[in-house]
Amino acid sequence: MQLRSLVTAALAAAPVAVSAAGQLGFAVGNTNTDGSCKKQSDFEADFKAIKSNTHSTLIRTYSSSDQFGNPCNTPSEVLPAAKSQGVQVLLGMWPDGGAYDKEKKPIQDADVEQYGDTLFGITVGSEGMYRGTYDAKSLIAWLGDMKSTFPNTKIGTADSWNCWNNGSMDSIITSGIDLVLANGFAYWQYQDIGNATKTYFDDMAQALAHVQEVSGSLDSIHFMNGETGWPGDGGSDAGAAKAGTQNEATYWKSAVCGLLDWGVDLFWFEAFDEPNKADAIGDNGQKASEKYWGSFDSSRKPKFDMKC
Ligand SMILES: *[C@@H]1O[C@H](CO)[C@@H](O)[C@H](O)[C@H]1NC(C)=O
Ligand SMILES: *[C@@H]1O[C@H](CO)[C@@H](O)[C@H](O)[C@H]1NC(C)=O
């Protein structure tokens, strides 16, 4: 409770100075629109587009493999590309469905710690607790194994803000984890664009306060918003949340620029449209398109002004 009021005071006092601004990152897929695995040159083209339209020099990936589990050896392609472009990578692995060892091997093969600061950290899993595809016990074991294999690297995991907030991930918060990525989508909470930023800030404030309370510290764990975003033209609606590039741009200016001003690091989901991506199953059990969430289209053209 004491920490919660400290958080509130800290947020209320947060200056809008550039020095205190959060770091903007982008979620980047690891396949091309024809379904092939991205190679170093594809990632380089991605990073050039991001760097020439934003001040971001940070990206995250999700998996060493493609969405069907075929090997892409993403670590060996994305890290050299990032190094050449001056971008940092939060490297993701996707342990769901017994794939932990298969996902870990390409990270070892790439000898990722040789890249120094280019490697921002490694995340094990994304929203697996929320989906129920693994449990806390497995996740803690994987996080520990990654930490002992890569002792000089920040290790963390990403999950939905409400799982970080409601006690179901407290054992992970206290497991010695370095990075907590809390995902928050006002869109998936079926919010009208007019209430979206308020909903997003509320989600992030609750998750951050809970992580601070449980860890007993304001900053022992690096808290980031692991994903936020809004679908552009061609996307599906979710209740009062209407897809469209106009709304996507509004959400960027208000929610993304706003949270960065408060000093919280965040990843925009996602950099580029993925017209080849399989549909996602929404909270209501219905299929929803995840193809048009990019702030750039699939040919890397910006959809709107991403400056804050
Ligand atoms: C926490 O939230 C998740 C996602 O909504 C839910 O599945 C889970 O049952 C909740 N756990 C608790 C302890 O409330
Ligand atoms: C708007 O967002 C706030 C914060 O999450 C929430 O309490 C409120 O119910 C939302 N309003 C509507 C109309 O959904």
Side-chain angles (χ1 to χ4, degrees):
M1 278 305 135
Q2 188 139 16
L3 278 171
R4 194 179 290 271
S5 54
L6 274 178
V7 172
T8 313
L11 282 179
V16 185
V18 170
S19 59
Q23 201 177 353
L24 170 66
F26 281 90
V28 172
N30 67 348
T31 53
N32 295 304
T33 50
D34 64 2
S36 62
C37 295
K38 279 185 189 169
K39 297 291 176 200
Q40 181 176 339
S41 58
D42 300 310
F43 283 117
E44 280 169 358
D46 286 354
F47 302 158
K48 282 178 185 157
I50 289 171
K51 284 179 63 188
S52 55
N53 289 283
T54 75
H55 62 280
S56 173
T57 55
L58 174 65
I59 63 107
R60 62 175 292 216
T61 58
Y62 290 86
S63 177
S64 306
S65 322
D66 71 10
Q67 61 179 323
F68 307 106
N70 304 312
C72 282
N73 294 317
T74 297
S76 299
E77 303 294 337
V78 73
L79 283 163
K83 195 175 173 79
S84 80
Q85 296 301 312
V87 165
Q88 288 187 290
V89 180
L90 178 54
L91 197 63
M93 62 189 297
W94 195 267
D96 308 46
Y100 178 77
D101 292 329
K102 203 173 136 200
E103 283 281 300
K104 182 182 171 187
K105 189 169 182 301
I107 301 178
Q108 289 178 297
D109 291 347
D111 188 11
V112 293
E113 287 192 338
Q114 71 171 296
Y115 291 94
D117 284 352
T118 297
L119 181 67
F120 183 93
I122 298 175
T123 54
V124 182
S126 178
E127 298 189 356
M129 294 290 293
Y130 178 73
R131 287 191 307 273
T133 48
Y134 46 73
D135 59 14
K137 194 164 161 255
S138 309
L139 183 51
I140 289 168
W142 294 330
L143 291 166
D145 181 57
M146 288 307 281
K147 194 71 203 175
S148 56
T149 312
F150 302 102
N152 303 313
T153 301
K154 286 186 186 169
I155 306 293
T157 188
D159 226 296
S160 171
W161 71 273
N162 45 343
C163 292
W164 288 116
N165 181 52
N166 73 6
S168 58
M169 294 185 74
D170 287 2
S171 59
I172 292 150
I173 297 170
T174 55
S175 71
I177 194 170
D178 303 306
L179 300 168
V180 160
L181 278 80
N183 298 352
F185 289 92
Y187 167 87
W188 288 117
Q189 292 166 264
Y190 311 119
Q191 294 294 313
D192 180 88
I193 187 68
N195 201 40
T197 297
K198 193 199 292 180
T199 303
Y200 171 57
F201 282 17
D202 191 34
D203 298 347
M204 290 304 113
Q206 286 188 56
L208 174 57
H210 189 82
V211 169
Q212 290 176 328
E213 209 166 84
V214 172
S215 64
S217 162
L218 289 179
D219 58 7
S220 62
I221 292 176
H222 187 155
F223 178 93
M224 311 173 92
N225 170 216
E227 289 181 356
T228 197
W230 197 276
D233 291 350
S236 319
D237 297 339
K242 304 296 179 203
T245 302
Q246 196 73 50
N247 284 350
E248 187 182 15
T250 299
Y251 188 75
W252 180 285
K253 288 285 178 210
S254 176
V256 169
C257 296
L259 200 74
L260 292 173
D261 266 355
W262 288 110
V264 181
D265 300 336
L266 69 87
F267 289 90
W268 174 257
F269 179 89
E270 60 183 331
F272 307 101
D273 282 351
E274 295 190 83
N276 57 316
K277 195 172 180 181
D279 284 343
I281 306 294
D283 293 357
N284 56 5
Q286 289 179 0
K287 273 193 175 183
S289 163
E290 275 207 320
K291 297 174 167 61
Y292 302 106
W293 288 69
S295 48
F296 297 81
D297 67 18
S298 58
S299 62
R300 304 188 179 90
K301 202 164 115 262
K303 295 185 187 174
F304 51 84
D305 175 17
M306 283 170 262
K307 298 264 156 45
C308 283

